[in-house]
Amino acid sequence: MLFSSPLPYVVLTATKGFPLPPPRSALTEVLPNDPVIDALAVPRHKEIFGHPRGLWVLVLTEGWVAFSLYGLQSILVLYLADHLLQPGHIENVWGMGAVKAVLDILYAPVGIQATAGAITGLFLALVYATPLLGGFVADRFLGKTRTILLGAILMTVGHILMSFDWSFVLAVVFLLLGIGAAGGLRAQVGALYELDDRRRSDAYQIYSLGVQAAVIVSPALCGMLAMKAWHWGFLTAGLGMLTGLVVYLFGRRWLPEDTVFKASSPRPRLTSREKKTSVLLLALLPVLALGALPNDEIFDGYLLWGREHYQLTFFGHLFPVSSLVSFDGFISTLMTISVLWFWRIYARHRPDPAEITKVAIGTFIASSGPAVLALASWLYPEPHQISLFWGLAFHIINDIGFSMSYAIGMAMYSRAAPVSLNTIFVACFSLHLFMANLTIGKLSTLIGHIGDVPFWLLHSGASLVAGVILLMCSIVFRSLLAPENVPSGRDNPSHIL
């Protein structure tokens, strides 16, 4: 479904009457020298569609970031398998020997296709791990805004370097560092709202929706250009990243002020409840990782499998397999809107389930998606015999489930995490995608070595197990994950099963 690069704040709602900050006129203001230690304050302005203006700045910025990253991800595994890893090209890539040594330790891939899947899985895993480093830098040194700006610059350079074979490894390093630094975008979304503001979950759904809208266009566009020349696709992704950088620069006046906790300034001590909640949130990460396997496979083994099994024609015309990612983006956009409105309507008539309960339900739904592909593989084992209607069923089921488990899970971590560690914990939430993609890197090497039916049933079974564990946690730890000072149970209709 979606990517969104991840990320202590005092939270205030936006209202009118608060003066604008002084204008920043030069690029020297982009990265000021000394971070200021101050309580976070959200500049107050008129709201747009019931949400602070800063939300729409972040949605638009993240949309362009997603445009760049989804465009790259949609052609990466194909670029590696069909071009870069082929004889005559791989010898020219600086640093590829070190990369292959790491892959041998982690995955031991056999063949070009398996190596392409392993590299893609490892890259996607690190995409979700580096924001931890970015969160630490933002909290301790630069603040979120300056760290995000630095990350956007690094990502833009990385996309440009992807346009040359020799600099592939260097480009990946720049991209990963940039993604890590830009991870605070998510934390800034949460900082726009009070902890008990019910709009917070809606804001993260809207935030995810902005990402998905970009995904509709980017993979199809980058994939079509890559059919002409691989590097045209990468350059298009780079232009999207540059646009996101410009949007963030011009819109940062509507974002929360930063708090920087210097090393010499001790953080507030965690309460007993905060310690228990922190342990629980960390323990849930591998469970969420199992639940994310059906969705995160879309950028790796699914593309290799789909190229061999789907009927990739539309009114008699062939289209690139990378367009399946755009197809998923369109479906996921519709499903996210549907899920958002479903829970709004549901809350009018019945008590709203706890966030972790919604995540569990979404994980159960997502587990059915790979089962659809397993059934299609069993019925049509020959190449290019599976209709895209089977793919449509898979994407609808998967995107309904993932739109619930991801966006609502992100909101849960943003709300439940201790204030003094909030940026780090929001970044930690994406560690479950790091774990998922590390696993996917290995699973993708199995394509061609095990049958298609057991391949997809592995994904379905893992997600099903995750759903069971999450449902049990929603019962046992309901009071721990409920907002502090707000009772759970019948007295708290927003947080009961």
Side-chain angles (χ1 to χ4, degrees):
M1 177 185 159
L2 55 88
F3 158 83
S4 186
S5 53
L7 321 206
Y9 39 78
V10 177
V11 191
L12 300 174
T13 53
T15 60
K16 53 186 177 182
F18 194 83
L20 284 171
R24 306 178 184 184
S25 56
L27 285 178
T28 54
E29 288 294 317
V30 172
L31 295 172
N33 292 327
D34 298 317
V36 178
I37 301 177
D38 193 7
L40 287 180
V42 179
R44 301 182 180 186
H45 304 278
K46 292 181 179 179
E47 296 180 346
I48 300 177
F49 299 116
H51 288 274
R53 288 185 179 183
L55 173 65
W56 306 105
V57 172
L58 295 172
V59 168
L60 193 57
T61 301
E62 187 64 48
W64 283 110
V65 173
F67 178 95
S68 71
L69 200 54
Y70 268 120
L72 181 148
Q73 289 177 187
S74 66
I75 60 177
L76 179 59
V77 69
L78 305 173
Y79 166 70
L80 290 169
D82 296 346
H83 177 78
L84 194 68
L85 298 181
Q86 293 292 333
H89 296 280
I90 190 173
E91 298 86 357
N92 301 321
V93 181
W94 177 83
M96 184 57 76
V99 173
K100 294 185 71 174
V102 172
L103 293 178
D104 288 339
I105 295 173
L106 291 176
Y107 302 125
V110 178
I112 291 177
Q113 181 168 278
T115 303
I119 291 176
T120 303
L122 181 59
F123 171 75
L124 295 177
L126 293 175
V127 160
Y128 299 108
T130 52
L132 275 178
L133 175 62
F136 177 79
V137 172
D139 275 352
R140 286 291 187 178
F141 301 104
L142 296 179
K144 285 187 285 294
T145 300
R146 285 162 293 168
T147 305
I148 290 168
L149 287 170
L150 177 61
I153 293 170
L154 290 172
M155 287 182 67
T156 302
V157 173
H159 280 293
I160 293 173
L161 290 174
M162 284 293 294
S163 300
F164 309 96
D165 287 354
W166 69 269
S167 57
F168 172 79
V169 176
L170 188 61
V172 168
V173 172
F174 270 85
L175 285 168
L176 290 173
L177 290 175
I179 291 166
L185 283 167
R186 293 183 183 183
Q188 286 192 314
V189 172
L192 293 168
Y193 302 89
E194 298 279 3
L195 292 178
D196 59 351
D197 192 333
R198 291 179 59 83
R199 296 179 301 168
R200 176 184 288 258
S201 291
D202 287 356
Y204 276 107
Q205 291 277 16
I206 294 169
Y207 179 81
S208 298
L209 190 62
V211 173
Q212 295 161 20
V215 178
I216 295 173
V217 178
S218 177
L221 179 60
C222 292
M224 289 177 61
L225 292 173
M227 292 180 68
K228 303 292 184 181
W230 287 109
H231 300 128
W232 288 10
F234 293 127
L235 279 175
T236 302
L239 289 175
M241 186 62 245
L242 182 61
T243 304
L245 172 60
V246 173
V247 168
Y248 192 80
L249 278 171
F250 281 94
R252 69 191 187 280
R253 68 178 61 188
W254 293 305
L255 301 178
E257 296 291 338
D258 285 339
T259 293
V260 178
F261 290 94
K262 289 186 176 179
S264 58
S265 303
R267 291 177 179 269
R269 294 177 63 89
L270 298 181
T271 65
S272 176
R273 174 192 171 95
E274 287 177 330
K275 291 178 181 178
K276 293 177 182 179
T277 302
S278 298
V279 172
L280 176 60
L281 293 177
L282 291 175
L284 286 176
L285 292 176
V287 180
L288 293 171
L290 289 177
L293 291 181
N295 182 78
D296 284 19
E297 188 68 75
I298 289 175
F299 295 99
D300 201 340
Y302 177 69
L303 293 177
L304 297 173
W305 175 87
R307 184 170 62 174
E308 299 297 326
H309 293 279
Y310 277 135
Q311 299 173 3
L312 295 174
T313 57
F314 187 72
F315 289 106
H317 298 281
L318 291 173
F319 61 88
V321 68
S322 58
S323 296
L324 290 173
V325 181
S326 285
F327 181 62
D328 181 74
F330 176 73
I331 297 299
S332 65
T333 300
L334 296 179
M335 295 305 103
T336 298
I337 294 173
S338 301
V339 168
L340 179 62
W341 282 105
F342 171 81
W343 287 117
R344 282 189 176 182
I345 295 172
Y346 184 92
R348 295 174 186 171
H349 303 284
R350 297 180 62 86
D352 198 19
E355 289 164 329
I356 190 172
T357 305
K358 293 180 181 179
V359 173
I361 295 171
T363 304
F364 276 121
I365 294 173
S367 68
S368 302
V372 170
L373 298 181
L375 179 60
S377 298
W378 179 67
L379 294 174
Y380 306 99
E382 298 300 320
H384 307 297
Q385 294 298 309
I386 297 178
S387 167
L388 283 178
F389 285 107
W390 288 93
L392 176 63
F394 163 72
H395 286 286
I396 289 176
I397 294 171
N398 175 73
D399 290 336
I400 290 174
F402 195 72
S403 65
M404 291 174 58
S405 60
Y406 183 79
I408 297 175
M410 192 192 313
M412 179 179 70
Y413 271 67
S414 173
R415 178 191 52 74
V419 172
S420 61
L421 298 174
N422 209 285
T423 303
I424 294 176
F425 261 94
V426 174
C428 277
F429 173 73
S430 289
L431 274 183
H432 83 277
L433 298 179
F434 164 75
M435 300 175 187
N437 280 284
L438 272 183
T439 306
I440 284 169
K442 179 59 180 179
L443 290 175
S444 296
T445 65
L446 300 178
I447 293 180
H449 298 281
I450 66 172
D452 296 324
V453 174
F455 176 79
W456 289 117
L457 288 180
L458 281 174
H459 295 73
S460 183
S463 186
L464 186 62
V465 169
V468 172
I469 297 174
L470 287 168
L471 186 59
M472 293 174 60
C473 289
S474 71
I475 299 172
V476 177
F477 301 110
R478 178 175 58 185
S479 60
L480 189 60
L481 291 173
E484 196 166 7
N485 301 323
V486 178
S488 60
R490 294 188 179 277
D491 294 331
N492 178 24
S494 295
H495 293 275
I496 64 176
L497 288 171

